[in-house]
């Protein structure tokens, strides 16, 4: 799925936990989360067992080699009694919720999660999800000669009529066009607008190259799991406003059997002995 630079994404690692693995008594479960590049401030926000949020003292967190681990004791260390199953209950759900901030370090950010438990230490049953950010490339050219045009200026507007700005790698959307980031085409007639999530945007020309007529209608570009292109032409010496042409991203999506939603995203992790759940 997609996120813009600076968004907070939420991952949920879920499993159906039992008391025994065959004849082996399970004394603890450990949730593992291994993010790739392109995230910052990864943290555990909540741990739940059977729908009840655990106190911080009921589990342990740690980070090793970039991997966040959440250890959940499953039995009482003194008596050996199971902590979360009673009255004939033999299995309950575990949900570990983590949050992270999307950075501009990578446009294809992976996050891998899995569970281990007593006498199971590998990650054979892990699953991985990718969170991507996309860009719009402006292609500015002379409508008669196809010559690429330098020094054309643009701003970007989203579907809520707010204007794109970016500061220290974080995208924000401003009410006033005067606060928008201005993109200027280079000698190849190109400019890139980065850090975008899926959606429909309008590229607006605010200043034409010297000697050319300003294109006034705006160019619509739809981002749908792929980068987009805004092809915009100008003509010389004509006072008639020039409509703009447009382009859109194409769909390229690989799924891993998980769902990620911005702010309330989900990373569903199961294993061979845990039941899979649909979110």
């Amino acid at each position: 799925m997609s996120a813009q630079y600076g968004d907070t994404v939420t991952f949920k690692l879920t499993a159906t936990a039992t008391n025994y693995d065959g004849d082996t008594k399970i004394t603890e479960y450990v949730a593992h989360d291994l993010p790739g590049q392109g995230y910052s401030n990864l943290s555990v926000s909540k741990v739940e067992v059977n729908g009840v949020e655990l106190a911080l003292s009921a589990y342990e967190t740690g980070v090793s080699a970039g991997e966040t681990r959440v250890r959940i004791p499953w039995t009482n260390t003194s008596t050996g009694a199971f902590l979360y199953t009673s009255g004939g209950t033999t299995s309950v759900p575990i949900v570990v919720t983590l949050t992270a901030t999307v950075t501009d370090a990578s446009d294809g950010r992976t996050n891998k999660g899995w569970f281990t438990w007593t006498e199971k230490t590998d990650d054979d049953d892990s699953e991985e999800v990718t969170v991507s950010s996309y860009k719009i490339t402006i292609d500015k050219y002379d409508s008669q000669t196809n010559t690429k045009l330098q020094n054309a200026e643009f701003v970007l507007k989203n579907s809520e009529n707010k204007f794109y700005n970016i500061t220290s790698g974080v995208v924000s959307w401003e009410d006033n066009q005067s606060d928008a980031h201005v993109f200027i085409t280079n000698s190849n007639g190109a400019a890139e607008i980065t850090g975008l999530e899926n959606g429909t945007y309008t590229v607006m020309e605010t200043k034409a190259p010297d000697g050319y007529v300003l294109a006034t209608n705006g160019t619509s570009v739809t981002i749908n799991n792929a980068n987009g292109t805004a092809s915009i032409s100008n003509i010389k010496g004509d006072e008639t406003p020039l409509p703009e042409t447009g382009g859109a991203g194409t769909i390229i999506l690989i799924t891993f059997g998980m769902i990620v939603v911005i702010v309330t995203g989900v990373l569903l992790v199961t294993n061979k002995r845990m039941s899979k759940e649909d979110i």
Side-chain angles (χ1 to χ4, degrees):
M1 296 297 289
S2 69
Q4 70 182 22
Y5 294 166
D7 273 344
T8 296
V9 293
T10 299
F11 302 104
K12 289 188 177 181
L13 283 65
T14 69
T16 300
T18 60
N19 292 336
Y20 290 89
D21 183 0
D23 294 330
T24 301
K25 185 176 183 178
I26 296 175
T27 59
E28 69 176 19
Y29 281 92
V30 181
H32 304 255
D33 187 273
L34 181 61
Q37 293 183 344
Y39 299 105
S40 64
N41 304 320
L42 181 72
S43 62
V44 178
S45 60
K46 184 165 56 175
V47 177
E48 300 167 274
V49 175
N50 203 23
V52 177
E53 183 174 355
L54 301 187
L56 293 176
S57 58
Y59 59 92
E60 300 173 4
T61 62
V63 178
S64 177
E67 175 190 311
T68 295
R69 299 175 183 176
V70 181
R71 177 182 172 271
I72 306 167
W74 205 247
T75 59
N76 184 297
T77 55
S78 300
T79 66
F82 292 110
L83 296 173
Y84 302 106
T85 55
S86 61
T89 301
T90 58
S91 65
V92 293
I94 297 175
V95 180
V96 177
T97 302
L98 306 96
T99 60
T101 302
V102 172
T103 72
D104 61 358
S106 171
D107 283 338
R109 305 165 193 83
T110 60
N111 193 57
K112 182 179 180 181
W114 68 97
F115 280 87
T116 58
W117 55 91
T118 307
E119 295 194 1
K120 177 174 169 48
T121 59
D122 61 68
D123 61 352
D124 289 343
D125 303 316
S126 66
E127 293 192 25
E128 186 174 84
V129 69
T130 300
V131 178
S132 297
S133 299
Y134 300 103
K135 66 182 179 181
I136 294 173
T137 300
I138 298 171
D139 177 27
K140 187 67 173 174
Y141 61 96
D142 185 303
S143 63
Q144 296 177 321
T145 65
N146 287 325
T147 302
K148 302 299 183 181
L149 299 179
Q150 189 174 7
N151 294 325
E153 297 184 7
F154 299 88
V155 296
L156 184 70
K157 186 169 63 174
N158 67 10
S159 59
E160 298 177 349
N161 292 319
K162 294 182 180 292
F163 296 90
Y164 174 105
N165 193 22
I166 185 167
T167 304
S168 301
V170 175
V171 172
S172 62
W173 294 95
E174 310 297 338
D175 292 327
N176 300 315
Q177 183 173 329
S178 59
D179 296 322
H181 185 91
V182 177
F183 297 89
I184 303 174
T185 55
N186 60 22
S187 59
N188 295 317
E192 290 188 348
I193 307 171
T194 60
L196 299 174
E197 61 183 324
N198 288 337
T200 298
Y201 303 91
T202 301
V203 179
M204 301 172 57
E205 184 171 280
T206 58
K207 181 181 178 182
D210 291 344
Y212 286 84
V213 176
L214 184 71
T216 59
N217 290 344
T219 299
S220 178
V221 181
T222 297
I223 299 296
N224 191 357
N225 298 320
N227 296 326
T229 300
S231 297
I232 304 170
S233 63
N234 288 83
I235 59 175
K236 285 185 174 181
D238 189 338
E239 297 303 323
T240 304
L242 181 66
E244 302 180 26
T245 58
T250 57
I251 299 175
I252 305 175
L253 176 63
I254 301 176
T255 62
F256 295 90
M258 295 159 293
I259 301 173
V260 171
V261 180
I262 305 311
V263 179
T264 58
V266 175
L267 168 55
L268 174 62
V269 177
T270 61
N271 51 63
K272 294 176 182 177
R273 57 170 299 280
M274 298 180 186
S275 63
K276 291 195 174 183
E277 303 177 19
D278 295 323
I279 301 300

